[in-house]
Structure formats: structure tokens, C-alpha cells
Amino acid sequence: MTVFLFNEIAVNVTWNSIPISGQTHELALWATSVQTGPLDHNLIGAKVHRLLERLHRNVESDGEWITIAIGGHIDWKPIYNHFITNAGSSSLIDLFDPDEGKQQEQIGVWLTDNLHPLGVHYSPQIPKGKGTRELTDILLSYEFGSILLESKALSVLSRDRVPDRTKLKADVSGHIAKAFAQLKGGIRKIKASVEVTDRSGNVIDVERTQPPHAIVLIPDLDLVNDPDAFGRDFIKDFMEKTGNAFPHLLDISELLRVVQAAEMISKQGKTTTPMMAFDYYLMARFNKAVDAGSLKLEVLLRFGNDPKA
């Protein structure tokens, strides 16, 4: 049997021909009953995460899970996917790169590059001593504002033992706090008019007068252990210390939905660019987070003429 593995943005990253043993008959029956078509994420999200929690506790087959032994643990064939950005640089996704954090950063580049004709700036630099250091992982800037994105992955594959979700949740909480601290520092540098360059040394024109958006990108919002830790008090403190910058907490799926929403909003008018729509939708999403009392939330865009709105 040939198995193909896709990442979070439906990009095929590796494949292998492998033997399988076990409940192949049950697998065949399940495969013939699979239904395809539009999917309502909200309807299945809670059930899927409950099943994942069960899988981490018990890997035996039952009425809702089929566990099959897969041979061929080695010799996976990597697929090297290159995305050429608007700025003409190559963004590579390589599942077997030992730097797992870099892969999540590259996914962020893939998702946001087409929002702006100048594209995203990956790993923009600021002066440090005789050299430079990274301002943030991803920077977008246009005439009406700037967006800083700090990505935090979990580096699961580099560990000797795959951690359970309890451990992953604890790790994510620490990563989020660190990422927001880094964003505070990056915003201070922008407000102080520190020169920002790309990795080739070219100066980047950064909008510095408007409060920026500060995004922390994590693998999965459901790994946020304590949503209240990123509630109204956290939001107020972050804004006070950054001159009213807007904090956001997104995972890959939510970032994809925000980008898709921006593209949909842009197509509704004649003068709204995708970057303007992205800025607007982030602002609307931030207001929802304030109302909900937590940065941990998922938002779906529906227009007034949508029968589901």
C-alpha cells in the first residue's frame, strides 16, 4: 500500500510504500463508506479532539478507532516543496528538516505572502553590535500598519519519546509567554525607529505610526492549557506595554481561515486590497477576543447573504 502524508495546509510532504497487517478488512469497509464534500469544522471539532485525547491514552482498536500495524518505518521519500514568494525568494517546506520550528515559519510565509504585492519579510533583521539579530519571524507592513508574527513549534520529532498531550499543553503555554515577550521587544524596536533590513541587508520600509498587530502562531489552539491566562488582564497589560499593539493567538488552521476571510472580503469591493482586509479582519477578530475574554478563540466569516449567517 502506498501512503501519502500531507501537512496542515494540504501539501504532500512525503510518501512510502508500506506493508500493513491487522484489521485490513475493517479498514477497507471504512474506506468504502467515506463521504467527501464541504465540512463544517465547528460541528466535528469537539468530537475529533475528544477522540485524539482517547487515542493518546489507549491505542487499541475499538468502535471508533482502527489501529493497524504499519511496516516500513524507514525509507520515507521526502518531497521538497518550494514556494517562490512575491519578493523572489524560495520558501522550502521539508518535513525531514531537523528544525521543526522553521517548517512552521515557512507555512506562515506560504499562507500570508499573497496578501501584499511586496510579500512577507521572513526573518527581518535589526542591528546588534557589529552584526544583526532577528526582529521577528515574519513581518508584513503596508501604508496603514504593520503585522509581526512570532512562530512557536513543539519540536516533537526531535524528542526521544513522543510526549502526551498534557506535556504538550504545558510546553505550549511556556512558548506562548515567551513569544509575546519577544513581540513586545520587537515592537519597541519599531517604535524607536530602529532600521529593519531583510537577510540580504536591504532596508525594509516599516509603517511605524499605527499600533501593530502582534501574532503568536502555535501548532494547535486546543493545546492552550489555560485560556484565562491570555484573557482581558493579559490583553490590557500587553497593550499598555506596547503602545496599544493588538495581540493575537492563532494556530495554522486559524491563520488559514483569517487569510481566506481577507481574500473573500477583498473580492467583495473594488478598492479594498487583501492586505487591508487582513488588517481589518484581525481587528474585528481582536474585538471578538476582548468580548470573549480570551485570545483563544476561533472565528468564521459569513456574509449577510449567506443562508448560514
Side-chain angles (χ1 to χ4, degrees), residues 82-304:
H82 293 265
F83 176 80
I84 306 303
T85 70
N86 281 321
S89 62
S90 176
S91 176
L92 169 66
I93 288 182
D94 171 15
L95 183 68
F96 294 93
D97 189 322
D99 186 349
E100 294 177 51
K102 181 180 177 182
Q103 298 309 299
Q104 183 166 286
E105 293 167 9
Q106 295 300 331
I107 289 175
V109 171
W110 283 44
L111 288 176
T112 58
D113 183 70
N114 282 334
L115 292 170
H116 191 17
L118 298 179
V120 302
H121 299 288
Y122 175 62
S123 188
Q125 302 290 304
I126 57 175
K128 182 179 181 181
K130 295 182 179 180
T132 63
R133 70 171 178 84
E134 188 176 79
L135 171 72
T136 190
D137 290 328
I138 295 174
L139 172 68
L140 294 103
S141 185
Y142 77 126
E143 59 183 316
F144 298 119
S146 298
I147 297 165
L148 290 79
L149 187 150
E150 196 70 30
S151 172
K152 292 298 179 185
L154 290 170
S155 300
V156 173
L157 299 179
S158 62
R159 308 189 195 198
D160 294 332
R161 181 178 179 182
V162 177
D164 59 26
R165 287 179 71 82
T166 300
K167 171 61 175 171
L168 291 177
K169 288 179 179 180
D171 290 349
V172 163
S173 295
H175 287 328
I176 294 172
K178 181 179 179 180
F180 275 120
Q182 291 172 319
L183 286 167
K184 288 178 184 177
I187 292 169
R188 283 195 295 268
K189 294 297 182 182
I190 288 178
K191 289 186 174 295
S193 299
V194 173
E195 183 179 78
V196 181
T197 63
D198 61 21
R199 289 180 294 172
S200 298
N202 302 307
V203 176
I204 298 173
D205 184 17
V206 182
E207 204 293 318
R208 302 173 188 265
T209 62
Q210 299 298 322
H213 293 284
I215 299 174
V216 171
L217 182 66
I218 61 174
D220 186 351
L221 279 173
D222 284 287
L223 291 176
V224 177
N225 198 30
D226 182 10
D228 293 336
F230 307 101
R232 291 190 180 94
D233 290 341
F234 175 87
I235 294 171
K236 180 181 178 181
D237 179 74
F238 185 89
M239 296 186 74
E240 288 177 348
K241 292 179 178 179
T242 57
N244 290 323
F246 305 109
H248 304 271
L249 184 58
L250 309 177
D251 60 13
I252 297 294
S253 297
E254 188 68 8
L255 177 60
L256 173 59
R257 282 193 286 270
V258 174
V259 170
Q260 289 174 329
E263 293 171 342
M264 292 167 64
I265 293 170
S266 176
K267 290 178 180 178
Q268 293 289 309
K270 296 181 179 180
T271 60
T272 303
T273 66
M275 191 64 191
M276 292 167 62
F278 187 62
D279 190 347
Y280 162 79
Y281 195 70
L282 281 176
M283 191 68 251
R285 189 181 183 282
F286 171 77
N287 290 332
K288 291 286 186 182
V290 173
D291 292 340
S294 175
L295 292 178
K296 180 191 173 182
L297 80 165
E298 297 177 346
V299 178
L300 291 176
L301 173 68
R302 288 192 175 124
F303 293 103

Side-chain angles (χ1 to χ4, degrees), residues 1 19-28 59 61 66-70:
M1 180 175 71
I20 62 173
S21 60
Q23 297 170 279
T24 55
H25 176 67
E26 288 87 343
L27 178 63
V59 297
S61 300
I66 291 179
T67 303
I68 297 176
I70 297 179

